[in-house]
Amino acid sequence: MLIIKIFVINPGSTSTKLAVFSGKNLVWEINIEHSSQQIEKFKRIIDQLEWRKDEILKELGKAGFKLKDFKAVVARGGLLDPIPGGTYHIDKEMVKDLRQGKNVEHASNLAGIIAYDLGQEYGIPAYTVDPVAVDEFKPVARLSGLPGLPRRCQSHALNLKAIARKTASELNLKLEECNLIGIHLGGGISVAAIEKGKIIDVNNANQGGPYSPERVGTLPTYDLADYIYREQPEENSFKKRLNGKGGLMAYLGTSDAREVEERIKAGNRKAELAYHGMIYQIGKEIGAMAAVLEGDVQAIFITGGIANSKYVVEGVKEMIDFIAPVKIYPGAEEMNHLAAGALRVLRGKEKARIYTEERGKLSGSQ
């Protein structure tokens, strides 16, 4: 079988992950860490585009790879209009929405733009797989209490779906045969009700649910409205405060969970309270998703970078292990899953979807 080489790009809030796959096999990867001082030089996330692209090309060149040798470049999915899950061509219309930050600015938006630019320059296809905008909500889950402001399905869909498949396999079940609650713990936090393989409800990791290392989570609406009218904050800086400088960063001046735990060990009560507040809200959200699934839950899985923290995992488990068995998968499956999605298309096992065609199928979601 012809060996297919794939380049994977996955920007996060404070890092950029890169990987090269030969078929299904990982042959090279790197995680480029970005300091808060570097990030804060840029007023908007889109302003980071050329800097991040240069960093990517520098590391790829240092590793001895040439873009012309790849059969595809695949990018982490950004915040697009609601679409079903699957592998998508990155085209001009998708790039337009990513550049504008149409559905919220996030570092993941940069991936598709960079992949598209590189694909155009070197004549190779660019794809994205199970982007943040994957929408499989039931109609009732969209209701917010205010017409015109529906709940939107935005989550760490890529990792949630990958780990859901792994969890089902370990239960000796098909994904379509079980109900799971999936929790992704990273700079943002997603807690999802996964019914027969579909994410039927999830907190919007950018706008609600538990506060996280960088994001505010659900806020008291009257107090928020009062604050905005009283202080009249500048729009972009205020949005960055909500998504980037909220949560642990707002309380403690750091989004590094390891640093917070060191402070707790040293007896810092403020750090302990803020950390326990995050754990408390995660557990509470898991309980809500158990209700969505009417208590029919075969397993709960916890994944993402902070799943490496015994402190957080044990704290959450104490609250929720009465619901179902809890499985822990530290880190993320994102790079493998992105490569696998592109590989399915390149080998003819799956047809790549078209963004402009698929978003129109979810007319009830907006």
Side-chain angles (χ1 to χ4, degrees):
M1 183 180 289
L2 179 67
I3 298 298
I4 297 173
K5 193 178 288 186
I6 298 169
F7 180 40
V8 182
I9 302 171
N10 181 0
S13 302
T14 59
S15 66
T16 302
K17 297 176 184 177
L18 308 175
V20 171
F21 287 80
S22 182
K24 293 182 179 180
N25 299 316
L26 175 68
V27 297
W28 174 79
E29 67 177 337
I30 188 171
N31 184 28
I32 309 169
E33 297 283 352
H34 307 308
S35 69
S36 56
Q37 290 82 5
Q38 288 176 307
I39 297 296
E40 287 175 358
K41 291 179 182 178
F42 302 96
K43 185 176 181 181
R44 297 178 60 203
I45 288 173
I46 191 63
D47 298 335
Q48 300 174 23
L49 181 63
E50 292 303 320
W51 169 64
R52 292 243 198 180
K53 184 177 177 181
D54 288 344
E55 291 288 302
I56 289 168
L57 292 175
K58 182 172 67 176
E59 293 298 335
L60 194 65
K62 283 166 59 177
F65 294 105
K66 297 180 180 179
L67 276 159
K68 65 181 181 64
D69 295 332
F70 293 105
K71 296 299 182 183
V73 54
V74 57
R76 178 186 179 188
L79 286 101
L80 301 162
D81 286 343
I83 48 177
T87 300
Y88 285 79
H89 285 291
I90 301 176
D91 56 21
K92 287 183 179 180
E93 193 65 27
M94 183 183 290
V95 167
K96 177 184 174 183
D97 285 356
L98 294 172
R99 279 189 177 275
Q100 291 176 345
K102 179 181 178 183
N103 292 289
V104 169
E105 290 195 21
H106 188 269
S108 61
N109 291 356
L110 301 173
I113 304 170
I114 294 170
Y116 178 79
D117 288 348
L118 295 178
Q120 291 294 300
E121 185 174 351
Y122 290 91
I124 55 178
Y127 301 109
T128 188
V129 183
D130 286 333
V132 176
V134 165
D135 186 316
E136 294 160 336
F137 271 11
K138 293 181 177 180
V140 70
R142 304 190 194 285
L143 302 178
S144 68
L146 189 64
L149 289 178
R151 293 182 67 236
R152 290 192 289 172
C153 181
Q154 292 180 342
S155 70
H156 297 84
L158 182 68
N159 198 36
L160 288 169
K161 282 184 170 283
I163 301 302
R165 290 186 180 92
K166 177 178 283 192
T167 302
S169 177
E170 292 191 2
L171 294 171
N172 293 315
L173 295 169
K174 293 180 180 179
L175 184 57
E176 296 77 18
E177 297 175 337
C178 59
N179 294 339
L180 307 168
I181 297 175
I183 303 96
H184 177 97
L185 303 178
I189 293 174
S190 292
V191 182
I194 305 173
E195 182 182 68
K196 317 302 183 192
K198 293 185 177 181
I199 299 173
I200 64 166
D201 202 346
V202 64
N203 66 288
N204 185 323
N206 290 310
Q207 298 190 44
Y211 68 76
S212 74
E214 299 176 345
R215 302 174 195 176
V216 296
T218 301
L219 294 174
T221 53
Y222 264 38
D223 292 342
L224 178 62
D226 286 344
Y227 175 85
I228 291 171
Y229 280 108
R230 182 178 67 251
E231 302 294 334
Q232 297 185 339
E234 191 275 326
E235 181 180 0
N236 288 326
S237 63
F238 186 58
K239 285 181 176 178
K240 191 171 184 179
R241 186 176 175 189
L242 298 176
N243 186 352
K245 294 186 177 182
L248 295 180
M249 177 63 79
Y251 284 120
L252 304 173
T254 180
S255 60
D256 189 329
R258 296 162 297 186
E259 183 179 337
V260 175
E261 291 185 22
E262 287 299 319
R263 293 186 193 180
I264 294 171
K265 287 178 184 178
N268 187 316
R269 294 294 182 86
K270 182 179 179 181
E272 183 178 20
L273 178 61
Y275 214 43
H276 275 261
M278 183 180 75
I279 292 168
Y280 172 83
Q281 291 194 2
I282 293 166
K284 187 167 67 170
E285 195 75 13
I286 293 169
M289 294 305 159
V292 167
L293 295 170
E294 299 179 355
D296 181 14
V297 183
Q298 279 64 64
I300 299 168
F301 65 80
I302 302 177
T303 185
I306 302 179
N308 285 293
S309 167
K310 184 177 180 181
Y311 192 111
V312 172
V313 167
E314 292 302 317
V316 172
K317 284 175 68 177
E318 285 180 9
M319 293 181 68
I320 54 87
D321 62 3
F322 70 93
I323 298 171
V326 181
K327 295 180 175 292
I328 312 300
Y329 304 97
E333 294 276 321
E334 292 172 340
M335 307 305 274
N336 291 42
H337 196 46
L338 285 166
L343 191 61
R344 289 193 297 270
V345 169
L346 293 170
R347 287 183 171 168
K349 295 181 178 180
E350 179 182 321
K351 185 177 179 181
R353 296 172 180 251
I354 306 299
Y355 176 57
T356 50
E357 295 176 1
E358 297 294 338
R359 65 180 176 182
K361 295 178 181 179
L362 291 165
S363 58
S365 67
Q366 299 183 63

